[in-house]
Structures are given as structure tokens and as C-alpha cells.
Amino acid sequence: MTLRNTLKSALAALIMLGVAGLASQAKADAIDDITKAGAINVGIFSDFPPFSSASADMSIKGYDIDVAQAIADSLKVKLNLVSVTGQNRIPYLTDKRVDILMSVGYSKEREQVIDFAAAYAPYYIAVIGPAELAVKGKDDLADKSIAVNRGTLEDTSLTQAAPASADIRRFDNYNSVIQAFISGQTQLMVVGNDVGAQVLAKQVALKPEQKFQLLTSPSHIGLNKNEDRLKKAVNDAVAKMLADGKLDESSKAWLKTPLNPDNLKD
């Protein structure tokens, strides 16, 4: 073999190795990165009870954490929680500082930038009142006094649904809404199930309960575009929790109500 042929063969081998390397890089995805790191980085709101918040031992716990841990366990990696805000969480995801985001509401605008796994957490606006008060639907709000946070989606939903005779009393924050309800200033209150869960858990003597829902908008897990393997892994983990009752257990523990699968439908 001549020197020229030898050089040609060596060059061809290097090119093939380069192509193979590029192909390997092209095939690498989030699952590969997570497996290699031995951990999945999950973006959470660190002060968003009952979905995620600091417990007595200062560890972060809640509904979102239960689901995030189940996903990590299914991938056989460590769970690494990353605190995010409403402003920085999408950039954290697209910059790959986190692998997935918890508690992301679906919107067409967001879908232009990120992908969504199946819904895993119920989020809805509910009418809450004492067990002794008979309220089953919108018509039963007639002549009832109802506390709501002024200018919120709860306010809009209630205003659209309530009969003209309903006494809607608007307050400037959720603490005032809750105080008006538990002190008896109003017979009912309208809040999201995150706020409602705190009242259901603490006001035992009042025996509050969810009467009915005004609006349902479940939470999804957000991930980057074109991460099909990770999306399937997340969906499989959530489906398993739903099938084996673990998601229902988390709902009872944190949201203080059994999980209604219909609340996971957009």
C-alpha cells in the first residue's frame, strides 16, 4: 500500500469517526443526560402550598413533590428540586437548567415554546361552604353572601355564574376572603383549590366542604420540545400513580379531597 493510499484510508477513518460522533450527539436527549447525571432537575415553586412548600423540618413537601419523586424513582435517579419563579421558569427550562417544570397551566402561547406532558394535578375554582348549607349548583347561589378576591379569575367566574340576587362581596386579598368566610361575614367563598385546601384542613369546627366547581384548568408538567422519550417517561409515571391510587393518596393528603380524574381533563 502506498503512502498516499495509507493517508487516504486514515483520513476516511477519521471522517467516519467524526460522522459517528455527530450522529451519537444528535441522538442524545434529555433521558440520556438525566441518566448520565444520575439526577433529574425539577423546577418547582418553593412556596406554593399545598403543591410545594417548606415543612417543619425545612424540607420541601407537597403534591408536586410526591409526583416529582415518583418520576425520579421511575427513572432510577436522584430528585433535585430547583426553586423557580413565574418569570424565570420557562428560561430555566429552555436553557436546560431544569429538565421539567411542575405546575404549568396549558396555553397556546406557551405551547409555542415548550411541550406539555399529560395533566397530573387538578386546579379548579370552587365554591366552598359549611356542610350544613345546601348548595349544589349555580342556582343555589341565589340570595347567598359570597366572598371572593377582587379582580381575579375567581371573581370573573363567580360574576358570570351567580344569579342576580347573589350577594358577592369582593375583598383585596385571599386572607380577607378566608377571614370573611370563617368569621361568618359570608356564607360561602370562591377560591382556587390550592387556597381552599388550607381552609378545608384547618377549619375543622366549621366543617367546610367543596360545593361545586366553577372552572377547571389542570396543571401539566412542562418539558422542552422534541423530548419524546422524557415525555413518555413522565406520562408513564403519572399514569402509574393514577392506576395504583398514589395520586389519589396525594390528593387526599395535600388537597384534602379525593382525586376526581375528570379534573385532569383540559
Side-chain angles (χ1 to χ4, degrees):
M1 181 180 290
T2 65
L3 177 60
R4 175 176 290 182
N5 288 336
T6 300
L7 290 174
K8 283 183 177 179
S9 297
L11 180 60
L14 287 172
I15 291 172
M16 290 302 295
L17 285 172
V19 170
L22 289 174
S24 175
Q25 290 178 17
K27 291 181 180 178
D29 61 8
I31 288 285
D32 293 327
D33 294 338
I34 290 166
T35 302
K36 182 178 179 180
I40 182 169
N41 297 317
V42 180
I44 60 159
F45 294 126
S46 56
D47 187 20
F48 185 41
F51 294 97
S52 54
S53 60
S55 61
D57 63 3
M58 298 310 294
S59 62
I60 305 296
K61 294 181 179 179
Y63 187 102
D64 278 4
I65 311 308
D66 288 354
V67 177
Q69 186 64 63
I71 293 169
D73 291 344
S74 72
L75 294 172
K76 296 181 173 57
V77 295
K78 176 184 176 183
L79 173 62
N80 182 31
L81 299 175
V82 180
S83 181
V84 297
T85 67
Q87 291 72 41
N88 70 21
R89 63 179 180 161
I90 300 299
Y92 266 44
L93 179 63
T94 56
D95 290 345
K96 298 188 177 181
R97 298 174 67 175
V98 297
D99 300 300
I100 59 175
L101 292 172
M102 308 302 292
S103 288
V104 185
Y106 172 81
S107 72
K108 291 182 179 179
E109 292 76 19
R110 285 176 178 162
E111 194 177 32
Q112 300 300 311
V113 182
I114 66 172
D115 198 1
F116 293 86
Y120 76 99
Y123 182 80
Y124 50 84
I125 294 170
V127 176
I128 293 178
E132 63 184 19
L133 185 63
V135 174
K136 296 182 179 180
K138 300 174 184 178
D139 292 342
D140 294 326
L141 298 178
D143 302 318
K144 303 292 192 305
S145 56
I146 312 162
V148 69
N149 195 351
R150 187 192 317 275
T152 60
L153 185 58
E154 292 99 312
D155 187 359
T156 303
S157 300
L158 174 60
T159 301
Q160 291 175 348
S165 64
D167 179 13
I168 300 176
R169 302 183 188 179
R170 296 174 174 85
F171 298 86
D172 292 329
N173 54 65
Y174 288 111
N175 286 336
S176 297
V177 170
I178 293 170
Q179 187 58 39
F181 171 63
I182 64 176
S183 66
Q185 294 179 52
T186 64
Q187 296 166 285
L188 302 165
M189 71 173 184
V190 170
V191 292
N193 63 318
D194 53 341
V195 176
Q198 301 174 56
V199 177
L200 296 177
K202 296 177 181 178
Q203 300 301 320
V204 179
L206 187 61
K207 296 182 180 179
E209 63 180 15
Q210 293 180 8
K211 300 298 185 180
F212 66 95
Q213 296 173 22
L214 290 173
L215 177 72
T216 299
S217 179
S219 293
H220 293 256
I221 295 170
L223 64 160
N224 280 312
K225 294 281 192 180
N226 303 315
E227 295 292 354
D228 295 338
R229 289 176 63 208
L230 179 57
K231 184 175 182 177
K232 183 179 185 305
V234 169
N235 285 343
D236 287 349
V238 172
K240 183 176 184 299
M241 290 188 76
L242 188 59
D244 65 17
K246 293 295 178 61
L247 212 56
D248 183 55
E249 290 177 14
S250 290
S251 182
K252 291 174 180 175
W254 299 109
L255 305 180
K256 305 305 176 185
T257 186
L259 180 68
N260 181 353
D262 288 342
N263 288 330
L264 299 183
K265 299 175 182 178
D266 285 297

